[in-house]
Structure formats: structure tokens, C-alpha cells
Amino acid sequence: MVVLLLFTGVCCAAPVSGAISAYVAVQTGLQDDGGIVEGGTAADIPARMLTAYKKAVQQVGKYRPTCQGMRWPILAGIAKVESNHAIGRNIADNGDIRPKIYGVLLNGSGSGQNTTVFPDTDGGKWDGTASGERAVGPFQFLPSTWEGIGADANGDKTADPHNADDAALGAAVYLCGNGRDLTKRAQLKAAIWQYNHSSEYVANVLGWIDQYTAAAKNPDLKNVSGKVRTVIEAALSQRGVPYSWGGGNASGMSFGFCCTPSGKSGANIKGFDCSGLALYAYAKVGIQLPRTAAAQAGVGQRVAAGLGTGALKPGDLVFYADAPGRDATIYHVGIYLGSGQMVNAARPDTVVRLDAVNAMSGYAGGARLL
């Protein structure tokens, strides 16, 4: 929880120096807005990779007929941690990824946290070297593992771990082993653990799965109209845009600046922080908000925290504070959708998404502007 507060507390505060690194298995390039799918249902996933994930879900039953609950956010969570969705690579129409993605040589040297020697099994066919093994492709399979679960998803008669379609289907086959029911959290955790025997890895992947699942849900706005609907639709249209410390203005996403209390810079990220998203959405109906969450709490009719989240209405700003009751300590703002959900630019290394109102700590009430 302490770490969570460090991240969530940076939404709209003043820049502070410091450093902390996220656990990511392979870093493949800086993310920008060019790889984001319109509408945000795919969060930060390049369109061709999302196609591969969805295609794998449709095909996995051929190989694992008793598996239940496979869905694209599961594959996306794995690929996010393993290769950042191959962002920075070229993904051809047939799914081939170039340049190919290789992990470190698993020779026990300690590089990349590998301490065990893995002898070569493929003569360099997939990993480009006969001197040992290294993980390959967007899902980072060892050649020996790929030999057992590799599948041809694009119909070219070759199961290639460097092809997005084949790799995604192979991952689905692997995760679906033993007739798992992935709708059950325990079995989903077991599948991820099988992929990498690390509690930290499992938690990281589950976090991304939950984020992509939330981003893919479409809220029910049938009873929302007028300016409130305009505000909400403006915010929803930015789902999938990356979080950027200091990013966002009345015109839309923008580059932010350095740095959050945890050392995260928005200077090279075009996107939104929490208050920047609120500022943008309300500008669509002619309301000019202050730049920070704490200042935004002073606009409109305050909805007291003591009334509970049930008092919120769609379009309300939702606030979170280190010391609820003291608006000067407000560190975060979201835009309420109804049914306990909000549009949220949560923290660095995430994207604009849907979250439960109780996903953040220190609920401090809301503000009604319309």
C-alpha cells in the first residue's frame, strides 16, 4: 500500500526528485501515441498485436478444447510484461515482427537475473545462437518450450515464435494447459506462475490483466445526456492514452514534465495526468478548470465524503486525499461514470482507463459542476 500511495500521490503534485524503476522483463522502446488503438478498448496495445491476441482467443479451443475463460486481456498482460507488446518493432500484416525480439543468453552469467545454464536445443533456429538458449518473440518463449506448444495461427504452415499470431496462440495454448478455468482467479494465478515462477511476476501480470479488462468495458450511458454526457464521452475517448506527469490541457494530450515523487518523468510521454484529463473533458462544455486536483475541488458544488460514494452522480469529479477532510491534501481526481466506476488517469506506467471508485485510497468526496 505504501508503494501504491507513492504512485497515486503524484497525479497533480509539485515536481519532486527521486527514482524508482518498474519491473519489466524486456524493454523494447519508448511508447508514444502512435501505437494506441482509437477508443481505448485496447489500452496501450498496437492494433496489430491486439488483433493477434483476439485471434488466439478464437483459435485456442482447437488445441485446448476443455479450457475455459481465455480472453485477450490475459494474453495482453503477459505480452506487456514480456515485450511491451513489441512496441518499437515493425509488425507486418502477416504478423511477422522485425527486428526479432531476443532475451539474454541464459548461460548462468547473472545478466538479466539468469543464474542457470540452459544448453542449446534448437541449433539457433529460433534464438539465433547455438551457444545456449535465450527467450524469443513477444511472449519470450524458450525454444524448448516452443517446441511443445508452438502453433500456426496465420496459416503459413510454420509455427514461428517471432510471428505475433503464432506467438499469441502458443501463449494461449500454454496458459490453457491442464484444462484450466481461467475465470477462476486461483487458476489464472497458477497459469501465470507456470509461465514464470515469481510472485512479483504474477502480481505484475495480474495488474495489467485487470487494467486491460477495465479498459475494455463499455459503461452504460443510456440515462446520461446533455453536457454531462459530453464530458464523460470526452474522457472515455482518451482511454488507452498513457499517463504523463503534468500532461494534458484543454486541447487534449500533451507532453508533461519531470518529475513525480517516485522519479517518473512525463517529459517524453504525450498523455494526461489525472487533473489534465479532467481539465480536457470539462473544456468540451466550456468549463475552465484549474490545473491541479486540489484546486479543482474548489469548483462547483462539493459532494461531502461523509455522504459516501452513493451520493455521486455521473460527471462528478471524484477526489482522493492523504488526509480526507483537508482539501489541501487532495492528490488525485477522477471523473465519475455511475455504477461505482470512474474514468481514471491513475499513475505513471498506466493508461487512461476505467476503474472502480474504491480503487484509490482516501476518498474525499466529489464536486458537481453540471
Side-chain angles (χ1 to χ4, degrees), residues 4 6-13 211 214-215 234-236 238-249 252-254 260 269-281 291 293 296 317-320 331-337 341-357 359-360:
L4 177 63
L6 281 174
F7 280 118
T8 56
V10 301
C11 179
C12 314
Q211 288 182 31
L236 287 171
Q238 302 307 306
R239 280 188 296 173
V241 172
Y243 181 99
S244 176
W245 167 253
N249 53 46
M253 69 179 89
S254 68
T260 72
I269 303 174
K270 193 174 183 181
F272 292 97
D273 67 9
C274 63
S275 56
L277 179 64
L279 191 156
Y280 165 74
R291 186 58 184 78
Q296 289 173 357
L317 296 178
V318 188
F319 300 106
Y320 302 85
Y331 68 83
H332 191 77
V333 60
I335 300 174
Y336 189 64
L337 296 176
Q341 288 188 309
M342 63 179 171
V343 189
N344 196 23
R347 58 185 180 274
D349 298 321
T350 67
V351 296
V352 177
R353 66 195 195 206
L354 301 190
D355 273 330
V357 172
M360 315 294 288

Side-chain angles (χ1 to χ4, degrees), residues 50-198:
L50 178 63
T51 296
Y53 305 155
K54 291 183 175 181
K55 188 175 181 180
V57 172
Q58 295 173 346
Q59 295 177 325
V60 70
K62 175 182 177 182
Y63 300 86
R64 295 286 189 264
T66 61
C67 180
Q68 299 181 56
M70 176 53 69
R71 49 198 175 89
W72 72 256
I74 295 174
L75 298 174
I78 296 285
K80 172 65 180 180
V81 174
E82 294 293 349
S83 71
N84 198 23
H85 306 300
I87 291 174
R89 262 66 174 181
N90 178 64
I91 309 170
D93 289 343
N94 71 347
D96 286 344
I97 298 171
R98 299 293 184 273
K100 297 177 180 179
I101 302 172
Y102 296 115
V104 298
L105 185 64
L106 299 174
N107 57 6
S109 67
S111 175
Q113 300 182 353
N114 88 89
T115 57
T116 303
V117 176
F118 287 79
D120 176 68
T121 63
D122 69 334
K125 177 181 179 180
W126 298 123
D127 63 4
T129 178
S131 61
E133 292 279 84
R134 55 182 178 176
V136 298
F139 284 86
Q140 289 291 279
F141 282 111
L142 289 178
S144 56
T145 304
W146 184 253
E147 184 67 25
I149 54 89
D152 173 23
N154 64 356
D156 64 0
K157 299 182 180 179
T158 300
D160 183 352
H162 297 287
N163 177 275
D165 295 330
D166 294 355
L169 180 55
V173 170
Y174 188 69
L175 293 165
C176 269
N178 303 318
R180 288 193 177 98
D181 182 353
L182 299 177
T183 63
K184 297 179 179 179
R185 194 75 166 184
Q187 293 193 37
L188 176 59
K189 287 182 177 179
I192 300 169
W193 176 266
Q194 177 185 334
Y195 211 98
N196 188 324
H197 294 178
S198 162

